[in-house]
Amino acid sequence: MTERYARPEARIAAGDAMVTARGLVRDYESGGSVVHALRGIDMDVARGELLAVRGRSGSGKTTLLNLLGGLDQPTAGTVQVDGTQISGMSEDAAAHVRRNTIAFVFQTFGLIPILSAAENVEVPLRLVGADPRERDARVGELLELVGLAERAKHRPHELSGGEQQRVSIARALANRPRLLLADEPTGQLDSETGQRIMLLIRNVVRAEGVTAVVATHDPIMLDVADRVIELLDGELVTPTAVASGRVPRGD
Ligand code: ADP
Ligand code: MG
């Protein structure tokens, strides 16, 4: 293999970040040509930080989130989440880390249509074999947290888009992930609903002590995030992407 594909040794940075990415490259080969979706990303996310990743469509946001969450593997470079190197892991090992440490929220909500709101939130708890009583308590607590206690028995098609996204946020938090990755979570919502969802994400990040990375063009997130970084054609244009700790918001 050429040195382009060499993986540096796993080493946890002194800053003890929740996420550390070094030299991340992702090339996609399609129809005989190569798309350089990420061209060498170095970034840290501090514990408890709410980081927004902005950048126009095609700039590499989804590719970056997928790599940080172990849904995809880099062409080169490393990703560590909570001290574990997930780049280069087997699919099974990555799935294990995802189940226990990382949660995703997508633009399209991804709820199971035949299940109620409460049952959707319950799914990840069933997957890890949580005790039924603890499971019920956690589901109730989460629906309360996202303001949907009254809608617990409704199915997704009986809920508005904003409500469906609230359910998917509650579901993402069910197993107390360390890292929440949200890919354009307000992309299908009107701006007022989107604003409420972004504020909700900020509140749950604080309430649950989770670290979050949110890809978005939504201007409200630029206000509620602790820090904003910007991707342009697969490169970070923000010089402060690697930070040793919480960055002051400067306001
Ligand atoms: P964003 O989320 O910011 O819109 P993406 O990460 O989806 O950006 O895409 C970055 C670049 O990689 C784009 O040029 C896109 O067309 C390309 N790309 C993404 N996924 C694939 C894929 N599976 N195969 C080929 N090219 C891809
Ligand atoms: Mg995207």
Side-chain angles (χ1 to χ4, degrees), residues 3-26:
E3 64 179 70
R4 224 174 120 239
Y5 292 90
R7 295 184 191 282
E9 278 287 284
R11 212 167 274 136
I12 187 74
D16 192 28
M18 175 58 67
V19 179
T20 302
R22 291 291 177 270
L24 270 193
V25 171
R26 181 65 166 98

Side-chain angles (χ1 to χ4, degrees), residues 70-86:
L71 286 176
D72 183 27
Q73 290 292 336
T75 306
T78 58
V79 176
Q80 287 179 2
V81 175
D82 201 19
T84 300
Q85 182 154 326
I86 56 166

Side-chain angles (χ1 to χ4, degrees), residues 34-56:
V34 177
V35 176
H36 302 290
L38 295 178
R39 301 167 185 263
I41 304 292
D42 293 314
M43 61 181 282
D44 291 344
V45 189
R47 288 175 192 275
E49 185 173 30
L50 172 52
L51 176 70
V53 180
R54 65 191 290 208
R56 61 174 184 238

Side-chain angles (χ1 to χ4, degrees), residues 69-71 73 86 89-99 102:
L71 286 176
Q73 290 292 336
I86 56 166
M89 263 188 177
S90 71
E91 183 43 43
D92 280 358
H96 182 80
V97 173
R98 284 200 302 273
R99 205 173 308 127
I102 304 171

Side-chain angles (χ1 to χ4, degrees), residues 111-123 135-160 163-164 166-168 170-171:
L111 299 174
I112 300 174
I114 59 162
L115 299 183
S116 69
E119 287 162 345
N120 268 284
V121 177
E122 205 177 276
V123 167
R135 209 169 62 201
D136 289 350
R138 180 71 176 148
V139 170
E141 172 183 70
L142 285 164
L143 288 174
E144 194 76 44
L145 182 69
V146 300
L148 282 183
E150 254 87 88
R151 296 273 192 278
K153 296 210 161 73
H154 291 249
R155 290 186 183 180
H157 75 269
E158 298 166 332
L159 300 172
S160 69
E163 288 170 337
Q164 290 182 55
R166 285 168 189 269
V167 175
S168 86
R171 179 185 56 183

Side-chain angles (χ1 to χ4, degrees), residues 56-63 107 183-184 215 217:
R56 61 174 184 238
S57 180
S59 59
K61 301 180 300 297
T62 295
T63 301
Q107 185 173 343
D183 193 358
E184 306 214 28
H217 333 264

